[in-house]
């Protein structure tokens, strides 16, 4: 079937400026970390990607590592790009990352020039595109001089293989240092990707969001639903097919009595607002102006519809935020 994008796709999701750059990102971005490899039906993956674009989610986040096996998520995205989204390439913000291990070779990990630039070339082949919009160093590599890593990222832009540069999982000091080096090279840091949710507040506690504001880069925050823990689905049991049942990245051990008690309290706060816990958790990360975009995953189009409806509720009040703190902080 031929795909035509929804005509009114830009009426739903607000777009937010990434730091002091010129680039807007949708308030929700879509990540292909889980269930976009060979472990899930391609027809469903395609349907989710196209539905996301129809909703106004222009930004799709990938990495060389995402699968299983590694690289499969980008290859699957590449199939959708070639078949369905090619006419809309100018409207897409595609990102990829390199640096987390994808094999035993010393050149398939880390922050060396060799690792980063060969991974990017391979990712462009996987995705079937000449350039990505954002190229990230996936995690800091203390064993490689930051100058080498930053130099490779700058080269990617100079070679026309990436339009913007991001870093991920860097602590604030190193992020600040990277931002300085990138600025000096004429390639300002666009964005930092960090984990942030009601259950993981490190970016606001360790000063990362402050650093983002001061250095003028955006923050795109991953796992805002704590991989699904900030929904009501695990309150009674671990449903079949859910990430905690299937994935090595979310252990069912995370779902203990303490988790259930805290989550049930948060669920009540959401219910009092007439919304779901997922919707509340997404509004919570987006309340911070430094946060450019909430980077979500989904295993169905229904989850996407449900989560985007978070945009329709009034902002969280100070009283509600205080209550969320009471139950959300460990
Ligand atoms: P989320 O916290 O949004 O978790 C998404 C998962 O929660 C879904 O896949 C689904 O899993 C479940 N879910 C979503 N909505 C609902 C709902 N309404 N009701 C019930 N369950 C729901 O984000 P992710 O952890 O998926 O991370 C998002 C993206 O962030 C990744 O794809 C990746 O791009 C990026 N990321 C980056 C990292 C980095 O190091 N830079 C690390 C991790 C992620 P299911 O149905 O399968 O249970």
């Amino acid at each position: 079937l031929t795909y035509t994008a929804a005509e009114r796709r830009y009426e739903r999701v607000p777009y937010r400026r990434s730091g002091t750059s010129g680039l807007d990102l949708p308030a929700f971005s879509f990540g292909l970390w889980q269930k976009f490899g060979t472990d899930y039906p391609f027809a469903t993956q395609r349907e989710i990607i196209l539905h996301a674009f129809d909703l106004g989610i222009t930004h799709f986040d990938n990495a060389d590592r995402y699968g299983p096996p590694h690289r499969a998520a980008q290859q699957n995205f590449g199939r959708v790009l070639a078949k369905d989204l090619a006419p809309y390439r100018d409207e897409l913000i595609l990102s990829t990352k390199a640096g987390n291990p994808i094999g035993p070779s010393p050149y398939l990990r880390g922050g060396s020039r060799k690792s980063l630039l060969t991974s990017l070339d391979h990712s462009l082949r996987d995705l079937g595109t000449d350039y990505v919009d954002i190229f990230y160093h996936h995690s800091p590599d203390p064993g490689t001089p930051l100058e080498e890593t930053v130099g490779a990222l700058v080269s990617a832009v100079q070679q026309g293989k990436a339009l913007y540069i991001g870093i991920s999982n860097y602590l604030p000091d190193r992020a600040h240092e990277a931002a300085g080096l990138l600025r000096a090279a004429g390639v300002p840091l666009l964005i930092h990707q960090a984990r942030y949710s009601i259950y993981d507040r490190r970016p606001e506690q360790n000063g990362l969001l402050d650093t983002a504001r001061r250095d003028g880069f955006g923050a795109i925050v991953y796992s805002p639903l704590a991989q699904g823990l900030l929904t009501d689905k695990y309150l009674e049991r671990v449903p079949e097919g859910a990430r905690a049942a299937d994935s090595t990245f979310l252990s069912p051990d995370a779902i203990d009595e303490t988790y259930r008690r805290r989550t049930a309290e948060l669920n009540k706060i959401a219910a009092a607002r007439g919304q779901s816990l997922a919707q509340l958790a997404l509004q919570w990360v987006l309340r911070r102006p430094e946060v450019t975009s909430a980077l979500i995953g989904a295993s169905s189009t229904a989850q996407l519809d449900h989560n985007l409806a978070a945009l329709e509720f009034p902002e969280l009040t100070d009283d509600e935020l205080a209550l969320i703190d009471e139950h959300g902080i460990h």
Side-chain angles (χ1 to χ4, degrees):
L1 236 63
T2 315
Y3 167 75
T4 308
E7 213 161 293
R8 302 177 63 178
R9 60 189 175 281
Y10 291 110
E11 293 174 19
R12 185 77 194 281
V13 177
Y15 295 81
R16 293 158 67 118
R17 188 51 59 101
S18 186
T20 52
S21 77
L23 189 72
D24 290 336
L25 292 179
F28 291 106
S29 299
F30 189 75
L32 284 82
W33 176 38
Q34 299 278 304
K35 294 193 174 154
F36 278 83
T38 53
D39 55 339
Y40 212 54
F42 175 72
T44 310
Q45 296 168 341
R46 172 175 176 264
E47 191 189 12
I48 294 170
I49 291 168
L50 297 179
H51 191 62
F53 187 60
D54 281 340
L55 292 171
I57 298 181
T58 49
H59 178 28
F60 293 91
D61 183 71
N62 245 305
D64 55 4
R65 230 177 109 80
Y66 296 170
H70 296 323
R71 300 203 162 279
Q74 323 204 108
Q75 288 160 359
N76 284 332
F77 188 89
R79 286 170 72 186
V80 179
L81 181 61
K83 184 172 183 309
D84 304 297
L85 288 175
Y88 307 99
R89 176 65 184 95
D90 297 351
E91 299 179 43
L92 292 170
I93 300 294
L94 305 184
S95 65
T96 190
K97 317 185 195 79
N100 283 5
I102 52 168
S105 156
Y107 317 123
L108 296 177
R109 63 183 64 223
S112 72
R113 189 172 176 82
K114 167 76 176 170
S115 302
L116 295 180
L117 291 177
T118 52
S119 167
L120 176 57
D121 280 343
H122 202 144
S123 292
L124 294 177
R125 291 198 294 276
D126 287 342
L127 291 164
T129 186
D130 295 337
Y131 72 98
V132 287
D133 297 273
I134 310 173
F135 182 46
Y136 283 94
H137 187 212
H138 205 148
S139 299
D141 173 9
T144 298
L146 194 56
E147 287 75 5
E148 176 169 341
T149 299
V150 164
L153 299 172
V154 169
S155 292
V157 170
Q158 287 168 344
Q159 293 168 7
K161 294 174 183 171
L163 297 185
Y164 296 95
I165 290 306
I167 54 176
S168 177
N169 301 313
Y170 277 48
L171 289 173
D173 283 353
R174 205 161 167 90
H176 170 68
E177 214 184 318
L181 290 169
L182 283 162
R183 195 182 303 115
V187 181
L189 177 62
L190 177 78
I191 205 154
H192 182 293
Q193 195 173 122
R195 193 165 81 175
Y196 182 49
S197 72
I198 291 174
Y199 282 163
D200 182 351
R201 297 167 179 236
R202 275 174 299 179
E204 59 183 46
Q205 292 163 342
N206 69 12
L208 182 72
L209 294 182
D210 295 331
T211 306
R213 194 176 51 250
R214 277 199 299 271
D215 275 320
F217 56 84
I220 180 165
V221 299
Y222 69 76
S223 301
L225 298 177
Q227 301 198 57
L229 293 177
L230 281 162
T231 71
D232 59 8
K233 76 187 203 189
Y234 295 117
L235 284 176
E236 303 294 332
R237 64 200 170 85
V238 176
E240 214 176 297
R243 193 180 295 184
D246 281 355
S247 168
T248 50
F249 291 96
L250 182 60
S251 161
D253 298 344
I255 297 155
D256 57 11
E257 266 323 295
T258 312
Y259 162 78
R260 285 209 168 87
R261 189 169 27 79
R262 296 167 71 203
T263 310
E265 291 300 327
L266 292 173
N267 200 36
K268 280 188 211 158
I269 304 170
R273 287 170 50 81
Q275 65 182 172
S276 73
L277 175 53
Q279 291 162 343
L280 175 128
L282 293 169
Q283 278 192 286
W284 187 87
V285 296
L286 287 170
R287 85 198 186 288
R288 290 287 302 229
E290 303 90 339
V291 172
T292 312
S293 185
L295 180 47
I296 55 175
S299 59
S300 67
T301 55
Q303 285 180 352
L304 273 183
D305 285 330
H306 180 91
N307 295 346
L308 257 69
L311 296 165
E312 281 145 34
F313 291 91
E315 283 184 14
L316 295 160
T317 65
D318 289 344
D319 286 349
E320 287 165 344
L321 288 170
L323 262 182
I324 293 170
D325 287 349
E326 201 177 303
H327 300 290
I329 296 178
H330 292 264

